[in-house]
Amino acid sequence: MGADARADLLRGETSDGRAYAVKTSTGPQPGIVVAGHLARAGVPGVPAPLPSLEDGWASERDGVRLSVVPWVSDRRGLDVGLAPGHWRSLGALLSALHRVPADAPGLRGLPTAGRDPEPLLARLHALDDRLATSRAPRPGAGATADAGTGAAASVDARTGTDARTGAGAGRGAGAGRGADAGRGADAGRGDDAHVGELLRLWAEGGRERLLAVGELARRAASDPHAWADAPWVVAHTDPHPGNVLLAGEGADDGADGVWLVDWDDAARATPEWDLMFVVGGVLATPTAADQAAFAEGYGQVRLDPVRLRYAQATRALHDFLDFADDVLATDRLPDADRRWSVEVLAGQLSPDGLVAFALGERGSDRLGP
């Protein structure tokens, strides 16, 4: 379900034993439309939704939208890991996706992952100002993250998010909130344990590193050479292992496929918006062998270093700002949710987190050995 709090997902079975994923939502379901058109276009690994009686991909009653998709697998890559055959299949899937014309029928309304980081930078500086007015943390205050390493609980059962690598599901190119998200009546009090831990993370290097990420995004966006001949493709923008369902055991012969789900953040973007997940830092850090298997399925991989850094930087900013808003929502969110958000933030700033990859402290601009 990603980060859509307005949606519910159920498993339903017919009398003959066929299983389906039944999603209801009071919000839009743009991903179901995208998945429907991609499945019709022959992109492998995209579960095809059932058409509605209204000749669409979803049905609406009393403000609630309902969509039905075959239940293709119970096994997520996040839970059991991707074997070489899975990486190869994921490469083939994304290669086919990136060859779909962005102006194909049904896809012309996709948002574009543009080159304007200024709204994110405004949010970043607003967060900096807000934390500067909060009181310093009390000695010993904080959540469960380890003060020395930023390590935290590995996987959150509710959302499939790995706090160690600092990424949340459903936060792709079109995700994120406005500059005033999480404010309202929420005071962000410095004497609150979770706010105190956020203040500690911010003071102990987080501020400088996030501001550096922001400036990196600004420089990358303004580099004329990187964007002059940039290919614009249909991108999922969130193909992390939590959105990858496994169709087989991933044998070395590559015969086992994968399914890619949660298309709500699909956008017109450069390939780096998808390929950055294979570089690492978002829910997984693939090995060189994993990357080589992916490249076998994808074909020749061309990663532009500037466009890659821009995708990584803006994703890192989106995620950090959204989870920081949640920590500061002292009057809006349950304590457990805010504690978990602190753990995610610690993971984002850890040596394996996306901030490190965006700053070039980890990873490289190429895939494979």
Side-chain angles (χ1 to χ4, degrees):
M1 298 310 302
D4 188 357
R6 300 168 295 179
D8 290 302
L9 182 67
L10 303 172
R11 176 187 169 113
E13 291 190 6
T14 61
S15 58
D16 59 1
R18 287 178 293 176
Y20 293 90
V22 182
K23 179 179 180 180
T24 61
S25 176
T26 57
Q29 293 190 22
I32 205 70
V33 178
V34 174
H37 287 287
L38 292 177
R40 281 187 174 176
V43 177
V46 180
L50 274 62
S52 70
L53 295 178
E54 292 88 349
D55 198 29
W57 300 111
S59 178
E60 183 173 351
R61 296 290 186 276
D62 299 325
V64 178
R65 292 177 177 85
L66 179 145
S67 60
V68 180
V69 179
W71 191 279
V72 293
S73 176
D74 295 309
R75 301 169 61 238
R76 297 189 309 165
L78 181 63
D79 300 326
V80 300
L82 277 68
H86 297 131
W87 283 108
R88 196 173 294 111
S89 294
L90 181 60
L93 191 164
L94 291 180
S95 178
L97 172 66
H98 293 167
R99 293 195 303 270
V100 173
D103 60 352
L107 300 176
R108 293 173 184 149
L110 284 177
T112 297
R115 291 166 49 198
D116 181 13
E118 296 307 320
L120 279 173
L121 296 182
R123 288 183 63 195
L124 179 63
H125 290 292
L127 174 66
D128 189 27
D129 292 342
R130 190 176 181 191
L131 295 181
T133 62
S134 297
R135 286 188 291 175
R138 293 174 286 114
T144 59
D146 183 273
T149 64
S154 59
V155 177
D156 179 78
R158 293 169 298 121
T159 64
T161 302
D162 190 328
R164 293 171 299 179
T165 51
R171 298 176 186 268
R177 308 170 195 152
D180 293 324
R183 296 193 180 198
D186 300 328
R189 299 183 298 271
D191 59 352
D192 175 271
H194 307 313
V195 174
E197 183 65 9
L198 171 59
L199 286 168
R200 184 190 68 77
L201 291 170
W202 195 246
E204 295 180 0
R207 177 180 185 273
E208 288 74 18
R209 297 180 78 209
L210 265 296
L211 291 175
V213 169
E215 287 307 309
L216 185 152
R218 177 178 279 154
R219 291 195 307 271
S222 61
D223 187 324
H225 302 292
W227 302 93
D229 58 351
W232 292 90
V233 301
V234 178
H236 183 279
T237 82
D238 210 23
H240 59 70
N243 283 332
V244 176
L245 304 180
L246 309 184
E249 296 301 324
D252 287 339
D253 61 6
D256 294 296
V258 298
W259 299 94
L260 187 57
V261 298
D262 194 356
W263 291 84
D264 284 346
D265 289 320
R268 182 176 175 268
T270 64
E272 287 80 9
W273 279 95
D274 283 340
L275 298 178
M276 69 172 167
F277 292 84
V278 188
V279 173
V282 186
L283 288 181
T285 301
T287 66
D290 294 334
Q291 294 173 347
F294 176 89
E296 289 178 15
Y298 188 88
Q300 186 172 8
V301 179
R302 294 185 177 92
L303 282 173
D304 180 89
V306 175
R307 297 197 299 263
L308 175 63
R309 291 288 178 262
Y310 181 77
Q312 292 171 322
T314 51
R315 171 71 186 226
L317 291 173
H318 266 303
D319 282 358
F320 192 93
L321 291 166
D322 284 355
F323 284 110
D325 280 341
D326 288 346
V327 174
L328 293 167
T330 54
D331 298 330
R332 179 169 56 87
L333 291 179
D335 183 81
D337 288 354
R338 297 176 55 244
R339 180 175 63 250
W340 168 70
S341 293
V342 169
E343 295 173 353
V344 172
L345 292 174
Q348 289 180 318
L349 294 171
S350 75
D352 291 325
L354 186 56
V355 170
F357 280 82
L359 293 174
E361 300 167 356
R362 286 288 312 276
S364 69
D365 301 329
R366 59 191 298 270
L367 299 180

